[in-house]
Amino acid sequence: MGYKAKKSFGQHFLTDLNIANDIVEGLHYVPGLNVVEVGPGQGVLTEMLREKDIHLKLIEADRDMVSVLLTKYPTMSDDIIHFDFLKADLSRIFDGQQLSVIGNFPYNISSQIIFRVIKYYEVVPELVGMFQLEVAERIVSKPGSKKYGVISVLAQAIYDGELLFKVPPEVFDPPPKVNSGVIRLSRRENITFDYDRSLFKHIVKTAFSQRRKMLRNTLKSMVEKAEFKDDEILMKRPEQLSVDDYIYLTKNLGTTAE
């Protein structure tokens, strides 16, 4: 439609329909599934999602893109939401029902999108989305990797993640300066929070703030206050700990963040 992408919205329009189809097929569909597409832009994914037996809503922050979508899909006027996804209450979009999230996400807010989904994990069992490749790999990376960090631990405490495929810059208009990657996050079964989630997040962020140091140094004040004596785990660096290790630390270092 000749629409020029806006840098302020981090827009890069996907032009390869095969890749768009691969993204759409990344979700696990059941009849009547509730799906929220984030940042639909000109509707490349939307077109294919509309062919599924699902309940689809679109959240788009760019008013001009909302106008494009309303013109293209006039019957979806009640399902096209002009709003900032990072401020959206996901528990209200489908009246508290479960929903899956999909999108060719704006790269400038992609990490924030993950944290928003984590906040509403109870209603979001699955996410499939395009990210800058570096961010995608960080989200799904495992312990021992240099890419493993805060977002890896916080996401994987709730979701199992996998990198589905990589995407080159030339399939976008305008092409980004980086490669992209599509990931799927699937909510883990039987999640129980028998630990302080606020403290968990605090410990993870504190540990990775100095990722080259051993935990006995980074978490020294908390360790001393809790009189924690597990020397083996404290001799490790943050990227060497699994999600379960961080949960173990949380349970042993107190009940509230400092």
Side-chain angles (χ1 to χ4, degrees):
M1 298 183 70
Y3 184 84
K4 186 176 181 180
K6 296 178 182 177
K7 288 185 178 180
S8 59
F9 285 99
Q11 292 172 339
H12 296 278
F13 300 127
L14 182 63
T15 58
D16 189 311
L17 297 183
N18 290 322
I19 292 177
N21 182 69
D22 288 343
I23 296 172
V24 168
E25 292 303 321
L27 282 178
H28 292 107
Y29 294 97
V30 294
L33 180 71
N34 296 320
V35 177
V36 172
E37 183 186 355
V38 180
Q42 300 180 82
V44 175
L45 299 187
T46 310
E47 190 73 27
M48 298 176 182
L49 287 166
R50 280 167 53 86
E51 297 176 0
K52 303 289 185 180
D53 181 14
I54 61 175
H55 302 298
L56 177 64
K57 291 185 183 291
L58 315 178
I59 297 183
E60 175 59 63
D62 183 354
R63 185 181 298 276
D64 291 333
M65 282 292 88
V66 170
S67 297
V68 170
L69 293 165
L70 287 171
T71 300
K72 194 171 184 179
Y73 306 114
T75 60
M76 290 189 68
S77 59
D78 292 336
D79 298 314
I80 298 173
I81 305 168
H82 177 219
F83 202 70
D84 181 352
F85 180 78
L86 301 182
K87 299 178 182 177
D89 182 346
L90 304 189
S91 66
R92 297 179 63 183
I93 294 177
F94 283 101
D95 297 323
Q97 297 180 52
Q98 300 287 286
L99 61 90
S100 295
V101 174
I102 193 170
N104 173 23
F105 301 132
Y107 294 166
N108 57 344
I109 60 168
S110 55
S111 294
Q112 295 166 272
I113 287 174
I114 290 295
F115 291 127
R116 197 69 183 175
V117 167
I118 290 172
K119 179 176 180 178
Y120 290 97
Y121 80 94
E122 291 179 303
V123 295
V124 184
E126 187 173 55
L127 171 145
V128 171
M130 177 106 70
F131 296 81
Q132 179 178 332
L133 181 59
E134 180 183 351
V135 175
E137 291 177 332
R138 285 209 308 267
I139 295 166
V140 303
S141 64
K142 301 303 180 184
S145 168
K146 291 183 178 179
K147 296 175 182 177
Y148 184 71
V150 173
I151 197 170
S152 317
V153 178
L154 297 184
Q156 292 173 43
I158 298 173
Y159 294 95
D160 293 320
E162 58 183 315
L163 178 66
L164 298 181
F165 55 90
K166 299 178 182 179
V167 182
E170 57 265 24
V171 300
F172 295 92
D173 180 25
K177 297 179 180 179
V178 295
N179 289 316
S180 304
V182 176
I183 67 169
R184 176 167 55 222
L185 297 181
S186 303
R187 190 174 60 202
R188 297 167 63 182
E189 295 183 2
N190 303 318
I191 298 174
T192 56
F193 291 113
D194 56 349
Y195 57 92
D196 186 320
R197 290 184 67 194
S198 176
L199 180 59
F200 175 78
K201 184 176 181 180
H202 176 71
I203 288 172
V204 172
K205 286 188 172 183
T206 302
F208 280 100
S209 67
Q210 301 182 72
R211 64 182 301 142
R212 293 186 178 183
K213 290 188 176 183
M214 293 181 183
L215 294 175
R216 67 178 183 182
N217 297 318
T218 313
L219 303 176
K220 183 177 179 180
S221 62
M222 298 180 69
V223 167
E224 291 178 348
K225 183 177 179 180
E227 298 183 356
F228 184 59
K229 304 296 184 182
D230 190 337
D231 290 338
E232 182 177 350
I233 198 168
L234 294 176
M235 293 293 285
K236 294 182 178 181
R237 292 182 173 82
E239 71 271 12
Q240 296 176 296
L241 272 65
S242 67
V243 171
D244 287 342
D245 289 332
Y246 279 106
I247 292 173
Y248 169 75
L249 278 176
T250 303
K251 290 180 177 181
N252 284 277
L253 291 182
T255 56
T256 57
E258 293 183 345

